[in-house]
Amino acid sequence: MTNIAHQTVVGENGKPAAALIPWEVFVELQELISEQQPNETTRAAMNEATESLPRFGSVADLMADLNA
């Protein structure tokens, strides 16, 4: 895991409640997160009907179908 330089904000109970990170790190994280969001084409594919897709009850059934 990568360490991020930060300051810890402690709550009333003495436990960490938040972290302050450098703005540049925040911007980089935001960009990484936005890159992970599905685009319109991917969202459309995710919403397509799946009724016509093959279903297998077990690995043995799948292997039998692949070997047929």
Side-chain angles (χ1 to χ4, degrees):
M1 176 181 256
T2 302
N3 288 329
I4 298 174
H6 68 281
Q7 293 177 318
T8 304
V9 178
V10 180
E12 292 178 2
N13 60 3
K15 294 183 180 180
L20 298 175
I21 62 173
W23 183 255
E24 296 79 19
V25 173
F26 173 76
V27 170
E28 184 177 343
L29 290 172
Q30 286 288 87
E31 290 172 356
L32 288 172
I33 290 169
S34 67
E35 290 172 4
Q36 298 300 316
Q37 300 299 316
N39 61 27
E40 188 172 327
T41 303
T42 303
R43 278 193 295 271
M46 290 167 60
N47 291 326
E48 286 180 1
T50 59
E51 292 84 25
S52 64
L53 296 177
R55 299 285 182 226
F56 302 96
S58 68
V59 173
D61 292 343
L62 173 60
M63 293 305 293
D65 190 63
L66 290 174
N67 292 324

